[in-house]
Amino acid sequence: MRHLITTDDLSSEEIENLFADAESYLLKPPPKLLQNRLVITLFFENSTRTRSSFEIAAKKLGADVVHLDVARSSTKKGETLYDTAANLNAMGPDAIVVRHAQSGTPYQISRHVDCAIFNAGDGAHAHPSQALLDLFTIKRHFDSDIEGKKIAIVGDIKNSRVANSNMRLLPRFGIEITLVAPPHFMPETDFPSTSRLEDVLDDVDIIMSLRTQTERHAHPIYASLKDYAADYCITKELIGERDILLLHPGPVHRNIDIDDAMLADPRCKVLEQVRNGVAVRMAALKKLILANG
Ligand code: NCD
């Protein structure tokens, strides 16, 4: 049984094939390859774009989609996660898309079901479909010439599953990462790192800005997000005329992560990431569901 729990679940060749599919879905209406297939979305944590992106992706390929309203579900009545998973599994889905505040939950669920589990974000651990769509967006922007390109990942890296998945995935494709964050947002890694955004600006091809994950902080770290913005907001003034691709997984804290002027600038591809996300998730759903038979 194939799952997408982390980006390591796919070989580099599989990722290239997946991107070829995604590219074709952007260009022409997709075939209904998942007709009569059932996809369940199970979100224990809030989501706007990831959930709708998976649901739209599944529907575009002809699948039936059921969203389980967790706020009203039996886990609220004391049912364990495993029993919830086993009961959903008994309804015969082809895939369950799971988001949970606790790292490891999608993996644990995958051991109790016989359908594909898609990790739509687990705690600060992983968000593989986001990293895949980020890489896809980078590849398209640079016409596939990405070997040796340099990216700065900026912000609350330590608490970001998006950063974590990108730190696993991007180096596999030759992209060089520098981490830019204040000490309390900096994870322990072997990547080059700095706390000063100015240090990297003349050296990078891509900036990936991240949202401060206030919901994952046991104690508020900054007195206000404005203090953070003073050092890490990606402003037009800061970027100037540099040829830098600007990414952000969303939701953006406007004028904290990225200022109004940069959000409106053509170098900022946030909405293209969202558009690409549907195509990449279509390709991933197709790949795993059909592989599982
Ligand atoms: C991210 C997430 O939920 O991990 N958003 C997303 O999936 N588009 C990042 C975030 O919440 O900051």
Side-chain angles (χ1 to χ4, degrees):
M1 191 59 49
R2 298 288 306 267
H3 305 288
L4 183 58
I5 309 292
T6 75
T7 55
D8 293 350
D9 289 327
L10 294 168
S11 70
S12 300
E13 192 189 340
E14 285 177 318
I15 291 171
E16 296 287 5
N17 291 336
L18 205 128
F19 286 175
D21 279 347
E23 192 71 43
S24 78
Y25 298 153
L26 286 175
L27 298 176
K28 53 179 192 291
K32 303 279 180 224
L33 293 168
L34 298 183
Q35 214 140 35
N36 298 321
R37 303 291 191 145
L38 173 62
V39 175
I40 296 179
T41 53
L42 180 62
F43 278 63
F44 294 91
E45 225 189 29
N46 291 341
S47 165
T48 316
R49 82 214 72 215
T50 303
R51 180 187 145 197
S52 43
S53 181
F54 266 111
E55 293 183 356
I56 291 166
K59 284 184 180 172
K60 282 196 172 203
L61 290 172
D64 298 318
V65 178
V66 172
H67 172 65
L68 195 91
D69 188 349
V70 180
R72 293 165 203 271
S73 81
S74 295
T75 41
K76 285 274 185 274
K77 299 181 186 167
E79 186 176 65
T80 69
L81 192 62
Y82 304 113
D83 288 330
T84 303
N87 277 276
L88 288 177
N89 188 52
M91 297 176 201
D94 296 282
I96 304 178
V97 182
V98 186
R99 169 171 286 193
H100 201 284
Q102 218 164 317
S103 298
T105 301
Y107 170 70
Q108 286 163 352
I109 290 180
S110 74
R111 302 174 60 198
H112 295 260
V113 297
D114 42 36
C115 66
I117 295 296
F118 286 83
N119 179 5
D122 61 331
H125 171 233
H127 194 347
S129 63
Q130 179 68 44
L132 288 169
L133 78 88
D134 293 336
L135 175 61
F136 181 72
T137 305
I138 292 169
K139 253 194 108 183
R140 288 194 98 217
H141 179 83
F142 292 106
D143 262 334
S144 293
D145 179 20
I146 56 173
E147 179 85 36
K149 288 282 182 288
K150 295 186 168 67
I151 186 170
I153 301 181
V154 180
D156 188 359
I157 301 165
K158 198 175 188 171
N159 295 295
S160 170
R161 54 198 176 205
V162 175
N164 258 330
S165 280
N166 273 296
M167 289 190 286
R168 293 290 301 178
L169 181 66
L170 300 186
R172 277 169 68 186
F173 290 83
I175 297 176
E176 296 169 22
I177 296 179
T178 300
L179 305 181
V180 182
H184 45 277
F185 285 170
M186 188 67 85
E188 270 184 41
T189 71
D190 293 332
F191 291 111
S193 66
T194 172
S195 60
R196 289 162 43 91
L197 196 47
E198 310 84 87
D199 289 349
V200 300
L201 287 181
D202 286 328
D203 206 34
V204 295
D205 307 288
I206 313 154
I207 291 178
M208 179 180 291
S209 168
L210 300 169
R211 183 179 64 92
T212 302
Q213 306 279 301
T214 39
E215 72 276 27
R216 288 185 226 293
H217 301 162
H219 305 287
I221 289 173
Y222 277 96
S224 86
L225 285 177
K226 285 219 171 73
D227 297 338
Y228 167 82
D231 292 330
Y232 297 101
C233 186
I234 312 296
T235 65
K236 192 147 184 173
E237 201 184 340
L238 199 66
I239 299 295
E241 295 305 312
R242 293 180 183 88
D243 185 15
I244 292 176
L245 166 64
L246 177 57
L247 304 175
H248 191 299
V252 176
H253 280 155
R254 190 174 269 270
N255 295 317
I256 304 288
D257 305 338
I258 303 176
D259 78 349
D260 288 334
M262 261 332 271
L263 276 171
D265 191 285
R267 288 169 289 181
C268 176
K269 296 267 173 96
V270 169
L271 292 179
E272 198 166 311
Q273 286 174 275
V274 175
R275 191 170 75 100
N276 290 342
V278 175
V280 168
R281 290 183 174 110
M282 285 166 79
L285 284 165
K286 174 211 150 190
K287 160 94 190 141
L288 267 62
I289 290 175
L290 298 188
N292 289 341

